[in-house]
Amino acid sequence: MQSIFANARRGGVSSFARKVLLPLVLLVAAVTLDPPPAMAQSGIIDSIQVTGSQRIDPQTVESYLLVAPGDPFDPDRLDRSLKVLFGTGLFADVTMRREGGRLVVAVVENPVINRVAFEGNKRIETEDLEREIQLRPRLVFTRTKVQQDVQRILDVYRLSGRFATEIQPKVIQLEQNRVDLVFEIDEGPLNRIRGLSFIGNRKFSDSDLKDVIQTKEYAFWRLLTTSDTYDPDRLSFDRELLRRFYLENGYADFKVVSAVAELTPDREDFVVTFTIEEGPRYKIGEIDIDVNLKRVDKEALLPLVTMIPGEWYNANEVDDSIDQLTDKIGTLGYAFVNIRPKVNQRREDLAIDLTFQVSEGARVYVERIDIEGNVRTLDEVVRREFQLVEGDAFNTSKLRRSRRRIGNLGFFKSTKINNVEGSAPDKTIIKVDLDEQSTGQVSLGVGFSSLDGALGDIGISERNLLGRGQNLSFRFQGSAKRQEFDIGFTEPYFLNRDVSAGFDLFQVTRDRQDDSSFDERKAGGALRLGYTLAPDLRQSLRYQYKQTEIRNVKAEASRFIRDQEGKTTVSQISQTLSYDKRDSRNNPTEGYVVSLTTDLAGFGGDTRLARARVRSGYYIPILEDKVLSFLFEGGHVLGLGQDVGIAERFFIGGQQFRGFATSGIGPRDITTSDALGGNTFYVGTAEFSFPIGLPDDLGFKASVFTDVGSLWNIDSTGSDIFDSSAIRIAAGAGLGWSTAFGLIRIDLTSALSKEDRDETEFLRFSFGTRF
């Protein structure tokens, strides 16, 4: 041994390793290591034995294997078989071993879920959480799915503004390999928006931009909204709202650099900062239409372009012009038309030249429409808003209008529509991705009115009943002098046509003792039908049957009222034709509306009359947040072979004609001063409304106004009746507060021109809205 090591020292390490150590290592390896693959694959699988299975049949387990009796013991196929078994999610553990010619597969089954429960959820209902998770009773329990469900629940809480929520899943072992799964939830505090700021805005103030976006800063008066809680999806939408706003105002180079939400140092709230680049403001330069279609005259198309050179650029008007051109060219027989606005920005002149390039588009047809995300809303509710159906010629203008129509339903938080290539080059598939939102509403309100005293209001409505797009509403409003109960149902697409149909049931009780010495009760029902005649032009038909009772008439009341005591029935048919070009029905700032309503009674009942009523409004925006409006309302009722009853006459004053008390103008009994109502009236209003410097989201606005009008003409005659058609004029100022329960308004008005027997009113507190 010594000589060996001596030779190693003399001959060097390399010689020693090569001659002595290397053969020794190879010998040991040959004895101790596994046999080579060729030896491992030797042998044939005689049989397969499955152990450990309880609920799952052994043959089912064998069906997942990639080997069978008669196959060799192939390590690669056995390894892939192992992965397949784990991939089924049915097993917590799987092992394989060889016993001679037998392949033994030992499995440990995942348990079955017996019950899923939630603990600690106070802000979100259990039913809502159950809809979000994928695990259910009688399904196989897997840790992967549990973690996925935990993330789903966290996402639900984050959408409601709670980012500090913690969820701990607990598993309770039961007999027969069953488990109870309990999600223990610590909801944490509500993460609100403590601060909201903008960087880079020079032309518009922070206050202006805060009105544009949906995200709002926390304020105590936002008890009924979630706009002041942090929502990353809402923040993304705010970026798009800012972009649209600036493009509408001519800032073609505008971009949102970033929108960052940062937790406050106490980690309870968020501070949101938008960094923007406004760029210069552009005006419209030259406008041209490049058309290369037969039978299409460029000069005939130019008037359809809604923009005028020299005006500020507005991206919305570009889209409107494309829609107008597409519709017009479509009437000339071109179903496949492509209109693209070619934009030439002259930065040195701050002008944008527009050329609408009109060409015959590729013949592409709609192969199918795929709708996703409408968990509750039926497909047909979405499809009927489309102006395209399968087989139609594809039209981008109609697709854009379809997107607007679906969004206007109010059933979805977001509506994404795009088209992708179909099964052939001349076919396209329209993809619709929807995100549903709650459509039910419960409203509770209290207030006070100088007319009716203390007010209570309860309303329940569902705008998407059973996912069919139907509207069901219930409302009760009560006060010391007036009680009103209404139930209404509307089917917007009756008989699968663009015709709305519905019914109403109502009962109204009103105390008119102060102004006319009687009480009035009306109860009945109505059937209605409405349809569109043209864009913005709508026709409505209505049949109403009601019973009116004049009761509790004072002994000293006017003889003209005592003669009316008792019950009458009215069976009438009505029609309303309306043309509405307002930018908003609830809070108009621009446009106009005109409606004409006619009633004809005498189809049954004991009342025969004809009545007409016209209403109109014209709104002019002054600067950016001020509105000048002109309103008019007038009507006339005519008895057919009989006098018009007091319940069917017009009574004017109060909220309808400020400066005068309820029923403050019109025919009156000289002896008792009871208001008798009139057959003819008109009321006109000129009003200028403006903000008062408070944040716009508070909903406060002030106004100055002038009301003019008159009420006259009564069938009864006599020296003891005062009846004058003289014009009355009143002027004043008011303050309005738009709340979740409606518009609350205080008006201070002085009657400038009146008759001696008119009853005036200086202060009026109203709860409601005006046309």
Side-chain angles (χ1 to χ4, degrees):
M1 180 68 69
Q2 292 176 351
S3 62
I4 293 175
F5 282 100
N7 290 334
R9 286 192 297 269
R10 287 194 299 269
V13 177
S14 175
S15 176
F16 176 75
R18 183 175 65 254
K19 295 179 179 180
V20 179
L21 294 181
L22 183 58
L24 182 63
V25 171
L26 292 175
L27 177 62
V28 173
V31 173
T32 59
L33 294 180
D34 290 338
M39 183 177 294
Q41 292 180 7
S42 63
I44 301 299
I45 299 175
D46 296 332
S47 62
I48 298 176
Q49 180 182 358
V50 178
T51 64
S53 61
Q54 300 178 12
R55 302 184 316 276
I56 303 171
D57 190 273
Q59 291 183 351
T60 302
V61 179
E62 291 184 29
S63 68
Y64 289 115
L65 299 177
L66 302 180
V67 295
D71 293 340
F73 283 94
D74 185 346
D76 179 62
R77 294 171 66 183
L78 292 175
D79 180 63
R80 286 189 288 127
S81 298
L82 198 65
K83 293 178 179 178
V84 170
L85 288 173
F86 273 112
T88 63
L90 299 174
F91 308 104
D93 190 24
V94 181
T95 59
M96 295 182 182
R97 66 178 184 273
R98 176 178 178 180
E99 294 181 357
R102 178 188 304 166
L103 174 63
V104 179
V105 181
V107 298
V108 177
E109 295 180 352
N110 275 323
V112 172
I113 297 175
N114 176 64
R115 181 174 65 97
V116 178
F118 301 89
E119 295 180 355
N121 56 309
K122 299 178 181 178
R123 302 296 179 181
I124 299 181
E125 297 292 337
T126 297
E127 293 78 7
D128 296 332
L129 295 177
E130 288 176 342
R131 284 195 292 267
E132 293 296 329
I133 63 175
Q134 54 185 335
L135 289 174
R136 298 283 190 275
R138 296 188 296 278
L139 293 182
V140 176
F141 171 90
T142 66
R143 295 187 181 276
T144 300
K145 290 184 177 180
V146 171
Q147 294 303 319
Q148 291 174 350
D149 282 347
V150 167
Q151 187 59 47
R152 289 169 181 259
I153 299 172
L154 286 173
D155 290 341
V156 172
Y157 274 96
R158 287 172 179 170
L159 287 175
S160 66
R162 297 182 184 273
F163 284 77
T165 302
E166 296 182 356
I167 301 173
Q168 185 67 37
K170 297 288 186 180
V171 179
I172 302 173
Q173 299 289 341
L174 304 175
E175 59 183 6
Q176 298 179 350
N177 200 23
R178 297 177 301 127
V179 296
D180 284 345
L181 176 60
V182 180
F183 293 98
E184 295 182 350
I185 302 173
D186 179 7
E187 295 182 324
L190 187 64
N191 299 112
R192 304 183 185 276
I193 304 297
R194 186 180 299 182
L196 192 59
S197 61
F198 299 85
I199 298 175
N201 53 312
R202 295 180 177 85
K203 300 299 181 181
F204 296 97
S205 66
D206 283 14
S207 177
D208 293 332
L209 299 183
K210 287 178 182 178
D211 292 337
V212 174
I213 62 177
Q214 289 188 347
T215 301
K216 304 296 181 183
E217 288 179 323
Y218 167 72
F220 71 90
W221 59 82
R222 295 198 181 93
L223 299 175
L224 301 178
T225 69
T226 60
S227 59
D228 58 353
T229 59
Y230 175 63
D231 184 344
D233 292 335
R234 186 189 296 129
L235 205 63
S236 298
F237 185 56
D238 287 339
R239 296 170 67 112
E240 176 62 18
L241 290 177
L242 287 171
R243 189 188 70 85
R244 294 179 188 175
F245 172 74
Y246 272 93
L247 287 178
E248 290 172 9
N249 287 277
Y251 294 88
D253 295 332
F254 171 82
K255 64 180 179 179
V256 179
V257 178
S258 64
V260 180
E262 298 176 307
L263 275 172
T264 55
D266 56 13
R267 304 188 66 81
E268 291 186 358
D269 297 321
F270 282 91
V271 175
V272 177
T273 304
F274 291 91
T275 303
I276 63 177
E277 292 183 4
E278 291 181 327
R281 192 179 188 187
Y282 290 83
K283 289 188 175 182
I284 298 295
E286 297 179 358
I287 298 177
D288 194 14
I289 298 178
D290 182 11
V291 58
N292 189 22
L293 299 175
K294 296 179 180 179
R295 305 186 312 277
V296 179
D297 183 14
K298 180 178 76 172
E299 299 302 324
L301 298 179
L302 279 173
L304 299 176
V305 178
T306 60
M307 297 166 293
I308 301 175
E311 291 185 344
W312 294 113
Y313 174 79
N314 187 330
N316 285 346
E317 291 189 1
V318 176
D319 292 337
D320 292 341
S321 298
I322 293 175
D323 290 343
Q324 295 279 355
L325 293 171
T326 301
D327 291 342
K328 178 62 177 179
I329 297 173
T331 62
L332 301 176
Y334 290 92
F336 303 94
V337 63
N338 185 21
I339 302 178
R340 293 185 179 181
K342 182 181 179 182
V343 177
N344 177 32
Q345 285 185 245
R346 292 188 280 120
R347 289 184 168 84
E348 65 280 1
D349 300 327
L350 296 181
I352 295 179
D353 297 332
L354 282 171
T355 300
F356 293 92
Q357 296 179 328
V358 182
S359 60
E360 192 167 7
R363 294 183 176 270
V364 178
Y365 298 88
V366 178
E367 180 176 0
R368 69 174 187 271
I369 301 175
D370 294 339
I371 303 174
E372 297 179 353
N374 54 320
V375 178
R376 180 164 170 263
T377 306
L378 300 180
D379 272 13
E380 65 180 86
V381 174
V382 180
R383 289 181 179 275
R384 67 195 184 193
E385 299 300 327
F386 262 92
Q387 296 193 330
L388 293 168
V389 297
E390 284 85 348
D392 278 359
F394 179 73
N395 186 303
T396 55
S397 178
K398 290 184 177 181
L399 186 66
R400 200 160 41 239
R401 288 200 294 270
S402 299
R403 183 186 294 110
R404 279 201 301 264
R405 287 166 61 95
I406 295 173
N408 289 339
L409 289 174
F411 302 161
F412 311 104
K413 287 190 289 187
S414 65
T415 304
K416 298 178 182 178
I417 301 179
N418 55 66
N419 60 294
V420 298
E421 186 176 347
S423 59
D426 63 342
K427 295 181 179 180
T428 186
I429 299 173
I430 298 177
K431 296 279 189 179
V432 184
D433 187 11
L434 305 171
D435 185 8
E436 290 186 317
Q437 65 181 0
S438 174
T439 54
Q441 183 178 7
V442 177
S443 62
L444 302 173
V446 293
F448 180 83
S449 167
S450 56
L451 169 63
D452 296 324
L455 294 170
D457 190 292
I458 301 175
I460 302 174
S461 66
E462 171 55 60
R463 294 180 290 111
N464 189 15
L465 185 65
L466 302 177
R468 299 179 179 273
Q470 299 164 335
N471 190 315
L472 179 64
S473 63
F474 160 84
R475 184 177 180 228
F476 171 78
Q477 187 177 36
S479 67
K481 293 191 174 184
R482 180 184 177 95
Q483 297 83 44
E484 183 174 350
F485 172 83
D486 296 285
I487 294 179
F489 173 81
T490 303
E491 166 57 64
Y493 275 80
F494 185 58
L495 299 178
N496 293 322
R497 297 179 180 274
D498 190 11
V499 176
S500 66
F503 67 85
D504 300 292
L505 300 175
F506 61 89
Q507 178 175 301
V508 181
T509 302
R510 187 168 182 177
D511 181 352
R512 290 185 176 270
Q513 294 290 343
D514 291 341
D515 51 84
S516 297
S517 302
F518 70 90
D519 292 336
E520 181 183 34
R521 176 184 176 274
K522 295 181 179 181
L527 300 174
R528 45 188 165 78
L529 207 65
Y531 50 91
T532 300
L533 297 175
D536 305 315
L537 181 63
R538 189 166 182 82
Q539 169 89 5
S540 299
L541 302 176
R542 177 186 178 96
Y543 170 75
Q544 183 184 72
Y545 184 88
K546 65 181 178 181
Q547 183 181 77
T548 302
E549 181 181 6
I550 304 298
R551 59 186 183 179
N552 300 330
V553 179
K554 292 181 180 179
E556 63 274 16
S558 167
R559 64 182 178 87
F560 301 104
I561 295 177
R562 294 198 304 271
D563 293 343
Q564 301 279 328
E565 188 171 11
K567 296 180 180 179
T568 58
T569 57
V570 179
S571 174
Q572 72 179 23
I573 295 176
S574 307
Q575 72 83 34
T576 299
L577 186 65
S578 62
Y579 188 65
D580 193 346
K581 295 289 290 184
R582 293 175 295 178
D583 58 346
S584 170
R585 294 184 180 181
N586 298 323
N587 188 26
T589 61
E590 186 176 7
Y592 59 91
V593 58
V594 178
S595 70
L596 171 65
T597 300
T598 56
D599 305 324
L600 184 61
F603 301 92
D606 50 25
T607 301
R608 293 181 298 278
L609 59 82
R611 177 169 41 219
R613 192 164 185 162
V614 63
R615 308 170 78 182
S616 65
Y618 187 68
Y619 304 87
I620 305 172
I622 307 295
L623 299 179
E624 295 178 355
D625 49 7
K626 304 171 183 64
V627 179
L628 177 62
S629 59
F630 298 94
L631 309 177
F632 177 81
E633 182 176 3
H636 179 73
V637 58
L638 175 67
L640 301 179
Q642 60 182 217
D643 292 344
V644 178
I646 192 170
E648 302 302 323
R649 298 174 195 158
F650 300 110
F651 287 84
I652 302 299
Q655 185 177 348
Q656 192 176 12
F657 195 164
R658 293 161 293 188
F660 294 89
T662 302
S663 304
I665 68 172
R668 192 175 296 274
D669 188 307
I670 296 176
T671 305
T672 64
S673 295
D674 287 333
L676 303 178
N679 295 350
T680 307
F681 86 98
Y682 68 88
V683 176
T685 297
E687 182 167 340
F688 180 67
S689 60
F690 52 91
I692 60 175
L694 294 175
D696 288 346
D697 51 309
L698 277 177
F700 283 99
K701 276 196 174 182
S703 65
V704 291
F705 56 84
T706 297
D707 289 352
V708 299
S710 186
L711 171 67
W712 73 99
N713 191 5
I714 187 172
D715 295 328
S716 301
T717 59
S719 59
D720 50 353
I721 292 180
F722 168 78
D723 187 3
S724 171
S725 62
I727 187 172
R728 279 80 159 179
I729 303 175
L735 178 66
W737 181 26
S738 180
T739 71
F741 304 110
L743 179 65
I744 298 176
R745 184 175 176 120
I746 299 176
D747 292 313
L748 302 176
T749 315
S750 175
L752 304 180
S753 175
K754 66 183 185 68
E755 295 297 304
D756 292 339
R757 297 193 176 275
D758 292 341
E759 296 184 2
T760 61
E761 180 181 75
F762 177 71
L763 172 66
R764 170 157 290 271
F765 180 92
S766 61
F767 181 91
T769 58
R770 296 186 74 217
F771 176 79

